[in-house]
Amino acid sequence: MSTWRSLCANVRTLRVLLTFRRVAPDPRRPCGLVASRRSLSTGTPLRNDFFKDLEAKLAATRKKARDALPGSAWSPLHINPNLPPERTDIVIVGGGVVGWAVAYWLKKKEGIRGGLKVVVVEKDTTYSRASTVLSAGGIRQQFSLLENISLSMASADFLRNINEHLGVLNEDPVDVQFNQAGYLLLASDKAAHIMEDNYHTQRAAGAQVSLLSPTQLKETFPWMNTEDVALASYGVENEGWFDPWTLLNALRRKAISMGVVQCCGEVTGFKYSSNEVMTEDGQRLELRRIKSVQVQMPNSLEFQPVECAVAVNAAGAFSAKLAHMLGAGLGPEDTLAGIPIPVEPRKRFIYVFHCPDGPGLDTPFLVDQSGVYFRREGFGGNYIAGRSPDQGEEPDVANLDVDHQFFQDKIWPELAHRVPAFEKLKVTSAWAGYYDYNTLDQNGIVGTHPLVSNMYFATGFSGHGLQHSPAVGRAVAELILDGGFSTVDLSRLGFRRIADREPVLERNIV
Amino acid sequence: MLWTIRCLPVVCSYSSLLGCCQRSSRLLVARRPWSSSPVSSPPMHTRLLLFLTQRFYDVEMLLRWKSRMKRRGLQKKNAFVGQSEWFRVDRKGKFKWDFLSYKDTPLEEADMSYTIINYIGLSNLEGQKSLRTLSLRGCSEVDDWFLARLHVFQDSLKDLDISHCPRITTGGLAALRNLKGLRRLDVSALPGISTPGLVIILLEEMLPHCEVIASGYDHSLEPEGVDEERSQG
């Protein structure tokens, strides 16, 4: 302490010595010369300059001395403050709603404060091409796979109690603007039996769904044309749509308040250790274990290798590229190493249109048997619509440009057929987004890769990522921290079906 | 109690020790000044608590426990499913036991106004298949999800009063479409609805046989922002 005091005293004396104070001219001086400092010559006087410069130079010297002494924030080595930490426990690649949900649940289950270090790496913090924010935002329980139904129900529970989960002290409560309007799925004669089977599965799982005949449908929704509809399935509770951006920001805010580190950067590589083993049938397998993740800063060659124990792949449409860096899919054809992650980006369009006489407040999220869907947006007569294109007509995924002809050819005729009021409408806006499309069976992949034991996947949801995200986040956190699923059992959605090439398909009513 | 100081261990000069307590960088992203919200600055004790919360872990934990206890108390009060008794308070504040003789009578009218009933609490009423009138006036915990769950009464409910409930928004009113038998709906003075005139018209269209009562709204054409400027200036 005494050395500290003497050091402070030195600083003070140094400051006094370095201070140069100009004495103001005495106004009472009986001098014949004018008291003002203005010189009479037109050129710049050298003497004035010298003193002004001296003052500036001494101020700069004082600042340098202050910075060099201990107690200042200046350091001669320039360290980029945006670099992720050198060492962490879990790296989540992908800052979409699934990535942040996993981060939140990991921190929720950590047990002691600071028990787990989590870093979320997102390459584009403006989210300009992220699937989360470009989504239509719907949530439904009307699936045929029990896992999907359970995930949706758990996510609806999460959204209902969102302020209990994601409320931060002294911040505004979270309002995802959930519209409780329900989903309405229509089926033709050929698909009516599939819809009935699905209805029984959904009721058994606890979803609040009801079946409607064409007459009941016409009574409930008089604005609809029900001539070729055989059966309709209507979600009465826990179904509707909400604002994905609010959910993403709420998850992010809560996770950051719990200590998750957000890093803006792109993962360009991994460092892993390999171990060769021989299986019973003589196949050589190379088991890899991630040692560190290479995170490159945006618009720069600077990168930081982040040592981690576990990496989570929540990169959505770009997951396959990430898995490629680990060699998944690069081995010989019929081996385990040769099976790539079957997730690829698929472009989908959403069109916003205005129709003054359209259906009102009770418009559900209607999914027609042709695949066209639409829902109400706001209360001013605006609706959004979209459709999955047919098998061979997938649009190019290099950019997010919208094909307006698609609306004219494929969507409008179906809309006008289903809702006669939509014959007169005007498209006001449109956007495109990526599905993280699972080419095998369009269902999510949740679990570890057989050859990379510490990489967990939570991707491939093909359009259902947003509605399943809170529940999937919890499932992945349970898998990582507890070693198995406890709330929703997603073992059927693991990597095994990809390796065996046995799709777990949704029985859709198309 | 040991007051743990949330200071980072940076060597600072003696005089600036207090100012050196850096706020946790994690909360920087969440911080917003109070002036952005339209309500006036919170009272002194709230501001003091906030100041302490930013600096001490213990205070933050205490406040979080307090809100958790409040929520748990609310849930406990709502979750008396399985009890066969239904308490009613008379003038003296005492419970009468007469209703035990009416155990199997179906309930027709329920007045839950100004109670703390919420989504979980509705499970107590779910079994009443012939509920005709339900009054939820001024219930602070009734929100959109509660309205969606009212579909269990879709055949029987004729009269619903959800006025003065602060948490109901327009998205929840869309859930009332399931109540096909509804004849009288009171949606007066709902602070959560931003465009009351439009929403009431949409409600009337959605429920053609229902009489929608909506008083307590200011349908004047003057924009709200002008009024605020005038009052502040």
Side-chain angles (χ1 to χ4, degrees):
Chain A
M1 212 55 193
S2 55
T3 44
W4 182 239
R5 280 215 193 98
S6 56
L7 195 63
C8 287
N10 286 344
V11 170
R12 250 179 270 128
T13 43
L14 204 64
R15 266 193 219 159
V16 166
L17 282 176
L18 293 176
T19 305
F20 178 85
R21 275 212 209 92
R22 268 195 80 189
V23 180
D26 198 75
R28 289 167 297 168
R29 217 173 38 173
C31 190
L33 280 172
V34 58
S36 74
R37 280 184 274 154
R38 202 192 268 193
S39 73
L40 295 170
S41 68
T42 47
T44 40
L46 194 64
R47 223 178 122 75
N48 249 345
D49 239 8
F50 173 69
F51 278 117
K52 276 195 197 135
D53 261 356
L54 186 63
E55 169 123 32
K57 279 196 195 133
L58 283 175
T61 317
R62 257 182 281 147
K63 186 171 181 315
K64 269 191 219 161
R66 245 205 314 271
D67 284 339
L69 287 168
S72 70
W74 178 83
S75 142
L77 309 158
H78 173 68
I79 303 171
N80 187 348
N82 301 324
L83 285 179
E86 286 177 9
R87 204 166 286 118
T88 182
D89 293 323
I90 301 183
V91 169
I92 298 176
V93 183
V97 71
V98 173
W100 280 108
V102 175
Y104 163 74
W105 280 107
L106 279 170
K107 272 304 204 178
K108 185 104 188 246
K109 288 172 70 72
E110 66 179 349
I112 52 171
R113 185 199 287 269
L116 205 60
K117 287 194 272 212
V118 182
V119 171
V120 173
V121 179
E122 165 62 40
K123 75 173 178 213
D124 176 15
T125 41
T126 61
Y127 293 97
S128 52
R129 290 153 68 92
S131 312
T132 303
V133 297
L134 297 168
S135 151
I139 176 169
R140 61 176 161 119
Q141 276 90 45
Q142 296 180 50
F143 292 100
S144 63
L145 214 59
L146 185 61
E147 280 86 1
N148 281 338
I149 305 174
S150 315
L151 283 175
S152 282
M153 284 178 58
S155 301
D157 272 343
F158 183 90
L159 287 174
R160 182 172 54 240
N161 300 315
I162 196 165
N163 274 300
E164 271 183 45
H165 293 290
L166 302 184
V168 178
L169 215 52
N170 293 313
E171 291 293 326
D172 290 341
V174 183
D175 175 23
V176 286
Q177 292 155 45
F178 200 101
N179 268 276
Q180 306 268 358
Y183 261 71
L184 181 69
L185 269 62
L186 305 177
S188 57
D189 297 317
K190 290 181 287 186
H193 63 287
I194 304 180
M195 183 175 262
E196 272 197 62
D197 290 342
N198 289 350
Y199 168 75
H200 291 302
T201 324
Q202 288 150 21
R203 286 302 291 221
Q208 306 287 337
V209 199
S210 63
L211 282 180
L212 297 173
S213 67
T215 27
Q216 287 172 321
L217 196 60
K218 190 73 185 170
E219 262 177 48
T220 328
F221 304 111
W223 40 262
M224 204 188 311
N225 168 19
T226 55
E227 27 173 73
D228 48 351
V229 177
L231 196 59
S233 160
Y234 189 31
V236 178
E237 209 190 324
N238 290 334
E239 292 196 352
W241 59 88
F242 59 94
D243 180 22
W245 176 242
T246 315
L247 179 63
L248 177 66
N249 271 326
L251 282 166
R252 193 160 73 147
R253 182 179 79 173
K254 181 69 179 177
I256 291 181
S257 80
M258 297 204 285
V260 174
V261 174
Q262 176 184 21
C263 170
C264 177
E266 188 179 349
V267 173
T268 46
F270 293 92
K271 278 211 162 36
Y272 48 85
S273 62
S274 306
N275 198 11
E276 276 227 348
V277 290
M278 191 85 98
T279 60
E280 288 172 344
D281 2 323
Q283 204 187 32
R284 296 185 83 91
L285 285 179
E286 192 187 335
L287 296 176
R288 294 195 171 149
R289 223 189 135 76
I290 297 173
K291 287 280 174 254
S292 73
V293 180
Q294 196 161 306
V295 179
Q296 185 162 355
M297 291 294 108
N299 299 325
S300 153
L301 288 176
E302 203 178 349
F303 67 90
Q304 165 80 292
V306 181
E307 270 183 50
C308 61
V310 165
V312 176
N313 186 347
F318 316 110
S319 319
K321 197 166 74 149
L322 197 76
H324 212 64
M325 291 172 203
L326 275 169
L330 293 178
E333 268 292 312
D334 2 303
T335 58
L336 205 53
I339 304 172
I341 308 291
V343 176
E344 54 179 56
R346 291 278 172 100
K347 192 157 77 165
R348 295 286 178 266
F349 306 113
I350 291 185
Y351 304 90
V352 184
F353 60 89
H354 173 75
C355 175
D357 304 317
L361 191 61
D362 59 344
T363 321
F365 198 126
L366 198 143
V367 181
D368 191 45
Q369 58 227 39
S370 55
V372 168
Y373 62 83
F374 78 89
R375 69 157 170 89
R376 173 177 58 81
E377 172 64 42
F379 309 109
N382 294 311
Y383 306 86
I384 67 174
R387 180 195 185 152
S388 286
D390 300 325
Q391 282 293 341
E393 299 168 359
E394 288 287 345
D396 178 36
V397 294
N399 54 31
L400 286 178
D401 294 341
V402 177
D403 178 10
H404 293 277
Q405 202 53 40
F406 185 71
F407 182 83
Q408 305 276 345
D409 299 336
K410 300 288 172 107
I411 301 186
W412 198 354
E414 306 290 343
L415 278 181
H417 171 69
R418 188 55 59 210
V419 183
F422 283 163
E423 274 161 23
K424 292 195 313 273
L425 56 77
K426 185 173 181 344
V427 177
T428 47
S429 159
W431 69 82
Y434 292 124
Y435 270 14
D436 47 345
Y437 195 82
N438 182 345
T439 46
L440 184 68
D441 53 15
Q442 291 90 59
N443 275 319
I445 306 177
V446 179
T448 52
H449 194 283
L451 297 180
V452 185
S453 55
N454 58 353
M455 165 154 264
Y456 289 80
F457 286 87
T459 174
F461 295 100
S462 319
H464 310 137
L466 175 68
Q467 58 185 287
H468 291 161
S469 55
V472 163
R474 188 166 58 184
V476 174
E478 284 166 4
L479 193 59
I480 295 176
L481 296 178
D482 302 335
F485 298 111
S486 27
T487 42
V488 184
D489 185 13
L490 302 178
S491 17
R492 265 210 299 175
L493 295 181
F495 206 79
R496 177 171 275 268
R497 74 188 204 274
I498 315 283
D500 296 342
R501 279 181 247 252
E502 282 167 12
V504 170
L505 285 161
E506 268 279 315
R507 284 178 80 206
N508 282 326
I509 24 166
V510 172
Chain B
M1 189 183 305
L2 190 68
W3 292 98
T4 50
I5 301 184
R6 200 189 274 198
C7 228
L8 296 187
V10 175
V11 173
C12 349
S13 72
Y14 214 60
S15 53
S16 60
L17 185 65
L18 284 171
C20 183
C21 289
Q22 293 179 33
R23 276 188 206 119
S24 175
S25 59
R26 317 168 195 153
L27 287 176
L28 270 174
V29 67
R31 178 97 50 237
R32 266 196 290 112
W34 291 303
S35 52
S36 62
S37 51
V39 297
S40 57
S41 153
M44 190 61 180
H45 60 100
T46 319
R47 273 190 285 168
L48 176 67
L49 271 180
L50 173 62
F51 177 80
L52 290 176
T53 313
Q54 289 163 10
R55 277 156 180 76
F56 301 110
Y57 282 130
D58 299 325
V59 179
E60 185 193 352
M61 206 148 60
L62 280 174
L63 287 183
R64 224 186 297 149
W65 281 351
K66 180 176 152 200
S67 60
R68 216 183 294 168
M69 298 291 225
K70 207 162 78 169
R71 244 184 278 132
R72 229 177 274 168
L74 192 72
Q75 284 192 7
K76 232 194 313 180
K77 286 199 181 137
N78 269 300
F80 45 83
V81 188
Q83 271 193 2
S84 52
E85 288 122 19
W86 190 256
F87 295 111
R88 218 182 305 133
V89 177
D90 68 359
R91 257 172 302 138
K92 285 195 226 157
K94 295 266 191 273
F95 299 130
K96 268 167 55 160
W97 297 87
D98 287 353
F99 54 82
L100 277 181
S101 54
Y102 299 109
K103 258 191 196 156
D104 291 322
T105 325
L107 190 64
E108 277 196 346
E109 294 192 17
D111 182 6
M112 306 292 297
S113 32
Y114 300 104
T115 56
I116 49 167
I117 188 166
N118 68 3
Y119 183 90
I120 308 165
L122 194 52
S123 4
N124 298 306
L125 282 173
E126 252 179 358
Q128 308 301 325
K129 289 295 171 219
S130 53
L131 190 68
R132 228 183 32 205
T133 308
L134 181 60
S135 169
L136 297 163
R137 190 187 163 96
C139 292
S140 55
E141 299 291 325
V142 161
D143 58 2
D144 298 343
W145 299 87
F146 187 101
L147 291 183
R149 202 173 184 184
L150 286 179
H151 74 88
V152 294
F153 304 124
Q154 57 187 335
D155 303 316
S156 57
L157 198 65
K158 290 201 168 34
D159 187 334
L160 179 64
D161 180 355
I162 45 173
S163 51
H164 299 91
C165 294
R167 283 184 158 190
I168 294 183
T169 64
T170 327
L173 292 176
L176 296 175
R177 71 196 183 289
N178 291 315
L179 302 171
K180 297 184 272 278
L182 204 62
R183 295 286 169 266
R184 190 177 165 277
L185 174 67
D186 191 338
V187 284
S188 317
L190 287 176
I193 298 185
S194 46
T195 50
L198 177 61
V199 168
I200 289 154
I201 294 174
L202 290 172
L203 262 181
E204 285 170 358
E205 267 181 31
M206 184 171 88
L207 299 164
H209 306 290
C210 181
E211 178 201 348
V212 177
I213 301 162
S215 57
Y217 291 118
D218 182 18
H219 291 289
S220 65
L221 290 171
E222 248 182 29
E224 274 174 50
V226 178
D227 280 341
E228 270 183 25
E229 274 173 42
R230 256 193 258 140
S231 62
Q232 279 174 12

